[in-house]
Amino acid sequence: MSVDVAALSTNGHTSYIDFQGKHKGVLGWLLSTDHKRIGILYLIAILTFFAVGVTIGFFMRLELIAPGKTIMNPQTYNSLFTLHGVIMIFLFVIPGIPAIFGNFFLPILIGAKDVAFPRLNLFSWYLYIFGALLAVLSILLPGGPADTGWTFYIPYSVRTGTNVLLALFAAFVLGFSSILTGLNFVTTVHRLRAPGMGWFKMPLSVWSLYATAWVQILATPIIGITLLLVVIERVFGVGLFDPALGGDPVLYQHLFWIYSHPAVYIMILPAMGVVSEIIPVFAQRTIFGYKFIAYSSIAIALFGSLVWAHHMFTAGMSNTGQFIFSLLTMIVAIPSAIKVFNWTATLYKGSIWVTPPLLYVLAFIFLFSIGGLTGIMQGVLSIDIHVHDTSFIVAHFHYVMFGGTGFGIFAAFHYWFPKMFGRMYNIKTAKAAFWFLFIGFNLLYFPMFIMGWLGMPRRYYDYLPEYQPFHLISTVGSWILIVGLIIMFANLIYALKKGKVTAEKNPWGGETLEWKVDTPPIHENFHTIPIVTERPYEYKNNDLILNQEVK
Amino acid sequence: MSSHEHAASLVHRDDVGARMGMWLFLFTELLLFGGMFLLYSVYRFTNQAEFHLAAKELNTVIGTFNTIILLTSSLTMALSIAAIQKNNVNLSIFFQLVTVLLGLAFMVNKYFEWTAKFHHGIYPGSEELLVKSPGEILFFGLYYVMTGLHGLHVLIGMVIILFMTSFTIKGVITRDSYVKLESAGLYWHLVDIIWIFLFPLFYLIT
């Protein structure tokens, strides 16, 4: 083995947190190519923007507590929903799990020392920060923040006087960061698996990160060129989307959704991976239907790339087109359902240990099912015409993206926290925070289904008095949710400083490789690269129990 | 995966991985242009007569000349890799520089072609262009955007190759370690192949 012998002797047993590399102090983090340190850098940056996004959402809900102008004028409201969308989507949900937990755990899960291109990995973090700064600049500079919605629909995005250019450029740069992360992960999975780790011995979160990475690589360039074309339209007025010059604005929508629909799978797939990882550990049994879950990740990535026009059923499309996209939308529900059935089948007759990570995962399954099923409703043409551009849609995607991915991220935090930092949080507080989040979430978003069904349009800062009871419940829900978030993060941050120090390698009894390395992991993860001989999630004790049951 | 391949990754060098990463990056480039090829197809389909008319304005001679230049540059790029494989460093450097010069020649041609169009008053937003039919406006819009973005890629490719040349001079790129040069070559061939599609779409189909 050609391990750096000098590093082994001096740093062989220090954790990645205490590891002393070429640079000292803060620079040791900002210039580190260690995938774990980069994961932490992402963690800090992404959570900062999550806090900003939540704050904006809070003010939007506050405005909607009563009809008419409450705390802001319509222009401010337009800017806020744009910022909320851009920040939450491009800076929080899309990078979320891959950039934080993918970076930190993907190499460990496959038995590697780092990702395939460590320097590129650091570079993509800097791209993320650069993109984020551009987004912040677009808020601060004169001209005012963009007010187009995160979709930047033509023609308004060409005509509005706000800082759309900066926001577009920010999304473009963030896209690049996402592409490079995807490229890195695909190569890592292909090239750096430990000896003996065949494709079907990979943990399921690796499968989902792998599928996600392909979508990142293949879909993101389309949004890149699309946003670039809007920039070109704004600067040169070429007219590619301007009907007066022969262009077609609906084509913009096609190009936008060719990326942005697959992007929702970039957001949800990694969370599904986290769920597949956590359920067998706390049901203390082998995952049910490993291959089905693995293949369904690929199927979701594949079919999810072919359904984009279901966002545009009201924008003008041939009946054939509508029929095909509606059908494909139904089909993409099948692999998602396969996952949900396999997860619940794994729980069945497991010895369930209710811990904070499992609570978040159970909430994921519940909320994602609601979000997913209402998604199928919108795939039905007749219903979609009725609910298009209503708060029904807003409720649907918050159930999937926040109830799904958001809770997936929280689950990942609580699951991997002791491994990442070598400290344990307070379990009781974490459970209390969970209930605040779960109840607050449903109070916040479920009324949106009802009022959307009754006709409440999305993106309106004002509404008819009939809708007020729903808006009131929703706004109160947002307060409960925020209390939950504060308790949860306070608990985790407190644990960082004062939590019980634990060097235990495997506090939850997991069977994947990250639970076999030191807590917190050492600089290059493994003292010796493991040789993998069995599949993940082999719970032998549980097999014993099952065999006894059979007898 | 054999244990031998894995051992290679431990010394932080994995040529197969590097090439794979480069191919993945090329996919993203293809899709970047793919978005515009999609626009082209749709607008060509909806404005067939106007595209036919507008394409006659383009100078097929310059286009052909540029195609020959780029194809030759791909050859010299490949030759520079073949030379480094045979440990002929000077020949490799020579071919790399020839590639850059051919890229430069392409850009010079492009410059004259564009400025000639400007003199005829054909550029986005010009009065001459705005009186034309929407189909023709779209054709020239796409022409400028697509060949412009391609030209940008040629420029980036030239800069990358110059970096490779300096690596070759410094001895970073050698007979045993030339994956950087190979990746730069892949990029250059991509730039070439995109032009191979742009050329018939704009110049030849009239």
Side-chain angles (χ1 to χ4, degrees):
Chain A
M1 293 233 318
S2 38
V3 184
D4 188 343
V5 182
L8 255 187
S9 55
T10 54
N11 276 313
H13 295 277
T14 47
S15 76
Y16 76 100
I17 300 172
D18 301 321
F19 179 78
Q20 185 57 60
K22 247 192 300 185
H23 304 279
K24 288 194 170 81
V26 182
L27 277 187
W29 286 81
L30 291 179
L31 298 177
S32 170
T33 54
D34 180 357
H35 65 101
K36 298 181 287 300
R37 287 198 167 193
I38 295 173
I40 303 291
L41 290 179
Y42 268 116
L43 173 84
I44 297 165
I46 286 173
L47 285 186
T48 310
F49 286 103
F50 178 62
V52 176
V54 169
T55 314
I56 294 173
F58 167 77
F59 283 116
M60 282 160 64
R61 273 318 322 166
L62 203 57
E63 163 60 35
L64 290 172
I65 196 168
K69 183 180 167 182
T70 318
I71 56 165
M72 63 183 77
N73 59 37
Q75 179 62 28
T76 314
Y77 186 79
N78 289 350
S79 294
L80 285 194
F81 73 64
T82 305
L83 289 173
H84 178 75
V86 169
I87 289 173
M88 285 303 204
I89 287 178
F90 293 112
L91 290 167
F92 174 63
V93 205
I94 288 183
I97 295 179
I100 302 173
F101 301 105
N103 261 323
F104 200 105
F105 285 107
L106 177 77
I108 305 183
L109 283 168
I110 60 170
K113 294 180 156 202
D114 209 314
V115 292
F117 308 113
R119 274 182 294 181
L120 195 66
N121 201 15
L122 183 65
F123 178 63
S124 55
W125 182 76
Y126 276 99
L127 275 183
Y128 172 88
I129 294 296
F130 179 55
L133 287 180
L134 285 174
V136 171
L137 269 185
S138 83
I139 305 175
L140 300 178
L141 285 185
D147 56 351
T148 58
W150 77 279
T151 48
F152 299 112
Y153 266 17
I154 295 258
Y156 188 64
S157 58
V158 174
R159 290 184 191 156
T160 174
T162 51
N163 294 331
V164 176
L165 268 185
L166 273 171
L168 286 168
F169 199 46
F172 180 80
V173 173
L174 290 168
F176 243 93
S177 161
S178 175
I179 286 175
L180 293 181
T181 303
L183 188 155
N184 220 334
F185 284 3
V186 168
T187 317
T188 306
V189 171
H190 274 277
R191 295 296 302 163
L192 296 184
R193 279 173 289 136
M197 179 166 282
W199 285 90
F200 292 106
K201 283 186 187 146
M202 295 194 315
L204 286 163
S205 55
V206 176
W207 272 99
S208 65
L209 283 171
Y210 178 73
T212 309
W214 271 109
V215 185
Q216 283 175 298
I217 292 170
L218 296 179
T220 318
I222 310 276
I223 193 82
I225 189 65
T226 310
L227 299 179
L228 208 59
L229 286 173
V230 180
V231 171
I232 290 172
E233 285 303 302
R234 275 186 79 93
V235 178
F236 299 109
V238 176
L240 291 179
F241 302 120
D242 184 354
L245 300 175
D248 185 354
V250 177
L251 260 182
Y252 167 81
Q253 297 187 18
H254 274 291
L255 283 176
F256 179 82
W257 289 113
I258 285 177
Y259 164 75
S260 296
H261 194 78
V264 308
Y265 296 104
I266 297 178
M267 305 177 209
I268 194 75
L269 266 173
M272 291 171 156
V274 169
V275 171
S276 311
E277 212 63 64
I278 291 177
I279 282 191
V281 175
F282 297 105
Q284 300 178 58
R285 56 163 294 191
T286 311
I287 189 112
F288 187 88
Y290 172 93
K291 281 198 178 176
F292 275 92
I293 297 181
Y295 281 133
S296 64
S297 292
I298 306 293
I300 288 176
L302 204 68
F303 290 116
S305 302
L306 301 172
V307 300
W308 74 87
H310 67 207
H311 293 266
M312 305 165 50
F313 284 151
T314 59
M317 205 192 309
S318 72
N319 284 343
T320 321
Q322 291 196 326
F323 172 76
I324 290 171
F325 281 110
S326 176
L327 184 72
L328 284 168
T329 306
M330 305 287 158
I331 288 176
V332 81
I334 296 173
S336 305
I338 286 176
K339 281 185 193 286
V340 171
F341 290 137
N342 280 304
W343 292 329
T344 40
T346 308
L347 288 168
Y348 180 67
K349 285 203 173 172
S351 348
I352 293 172
W353 178 21
V354 183
T355 56
L358 187 73
L359 281 177
Y360 284 106
V361 160
L362 294 177
F364 172 99
I365 297 177
F366 179 73
L367 301 173
F368 174 75
S369 297
I370 295 179
L373 290 171
T374 50
I376 301 178
M377 284 170 73
Q378 292 156 41
V380 179
L381 292 167
S382 50
I383 296 181
D384 186 74
I385 305 291
H386 179 72
V387 297
H388 186 86
D389 257 342
T390 66
S391 65
F392 190 88
I393 309 286
V394 180
H396 155 70
F397 71 69
H398 280 89
Y399 263 84
V400 182
M401 287 299 115
F402 189 1
T405 311
F407 276 67
I409 292 178
F410 302 157
F413 269 129
H414 288 90
Y415 180 55
W416 279 315
F417 188 90
K419 177 58 71 180
M420 293 169 84
F421 301 107
R423 286 180 187 265
M424 194 61 193
Y425 50 86
N426 184 317
I427 300 270
K428 271 190 186 163
T429 320
K431 285 185 181 171
F434 166 79
W435 287 109
F436 272 99
L437 283 170
F438 184 73
I439 293 166
F441 179 91
N442 283 296
L443 281 179
L444 166 55
Y445 295 113
F446 203 83
M448 291 190 191
F449 277 128
I450 303 169
M451 59 183 159
W453 194 260
L454 297 174
M456 173 70 209
R458 69 195 280 205
R459 293 179 170 175
Y460 278 31
Y461 99 120
D462 190 10
Y463 52 84
L464 296 172
E466 287 92 315
Y467 295 115
Q468 207 199 346
F470 302 112
H471 277 294
L472 186 64
I473 298 172
S474 181
T475 304
V476 172
S478 76
W479 298 339
I480 299 175
L481 181 82
I482 287 174
V483 170
L485 283 174
I486 292 171
I487 300 175
M488 184 183 83
F489 282 114
N491 186 32
L492 292 179
I493 293 166
Y494 181 80
L496 271 186
K497 304 221 153 155
K498 300 271 175 70
K500 196 173 101 267
V501 176
T502 169
E504 200 186 335
K505 281 187 180 179
N506 195 355
W508 307 121
E511 288 283 330
T512 36
L513 282 175
E514 82 271 37
W515 303 113
K516 298 193 170 73
V517 300
D518 292 354
T519 299
I522 58 165
H523 176 58
E524 284 191 325
N525 305 338
F526 300 95
H527 297 284
T528 50
I529 292 293
I531 293 168
V532 182
T533 51
E534 54 184 32
R535 291 181 303 165
Y537 323 117
E538 296 283 330
Y539 289 87
K540 295 184 193 65
N541 294 337
N542 190 262
D543 283 347
L544 271 180
I545 298 165
L546 280 179
N547 287 338
Q548 281 164 359
E549 268 180 21
V550 173
K551 280 170 197 164
Chain B
M1 188 188 293
S2 76
S3 59
H4 173 75
E5 277 178 294
H6 189 82
S9 68
L10 293 179
V11 289
H12 299 294
R13 181 181 156 193
D14 179 8
D15 289 355
V16 179
R19 255 190 303 261
M20 180 184 276
M22 193 60 206
W23 274 103
L24 292 173
F25 181 72
L26 295 188
F27 289 172
T28 72
E29 287 281 7
L30 279 181
L31 282 150
L32 188 87
F33 279 92
M36 286 187 302
F37 280 118
L38 190 73
L39 279 185
Y40 178 93
S41 326
V42 172
Y43 288 142
R44 170 124 221 155
F45 183 74
T46 50
N47 304 281
Q48 290 172 13
E50 293 87 341
F51 269 48
H52 170 74
L53 205 64
K56 286 186 172 167
E57 300 255 346
L58 294 190
N59 191 332
T60 317
V61 177
I62 294 191
T64 313
F65 198 53
N66 260 349
T67 310
I68 295 169
I69 289 177
L70 268 198
L71 282 176
T72 316
S73 77
S74 259
L75 173 71
T76 53
M77 188 72 226
L79 285 175
S80 80
I81 296 167
I84 201 82
Q85 283 170 332
K86 295 198 169 134
N87 209 13
N88 196 337
V89 177
N90 287 336
L91 190 65
S92 175
I93 293 171
F94 170 75
F95 277 126
Q96 289 173 39
L97 291 176
V98 173
T99 311
V100 173
L101 284 179
L102 287 170
L104 192 69
F106 177 90
M107 292 309 290
V108 169
N109 263 343
K110 197 93 252 169
Y111 171 79
F112 282 119
E113 199 186 350
W114 273 35
T115 43
K117 290 271 168 317
F118 290 163
H119 282 305
H120 291 116
I122 298 176
Y123 53 89
S126 72
E127 284 172 23
E128 297 254 347
L129 191 61
L130 287 181
V131 293
K132 289 182 187 285
S133 67
E136 286 172 275
I137 300 176
L138 282 177
F139 180 88
F140 286 110
L142 284 168
Y143 165 77
Y144 278 115
V145 173
M146 291 175 83
T147 59
L149 199 66
H150 176 260
L152 187 68
H153 278 78
V154 174
L155 277 179
I156 294 170
M158 285 160 61
V159 173
I160 291 173
I161 295 172
L162 282 177
F163 269 104
M164 294 308 128
T165 312
S166 96
F167 284 147
T168 317
I169 293 169
K170 281 182 198 155
V172 178
I173 292 173
T174 61
R175 184 178 69 176
D176 301 316
S177 172
Y178 54 87
V179 71
K180 282 196 179 75
L181 185 63
E182 220 178 353
S183 300
L186 282 172
Y187 185 83
W188 191 254
H189 297 320
L190 172 97
V191 172
D192 194 4
I193 207 163
I194 286 169
W195 178 255
I196 303 257
F197 281 88
L198 290 179
F199 175 57
L201 286 179
F202 283 105
Y203 294 81
L204 295 186
I205 311 176
T206 55

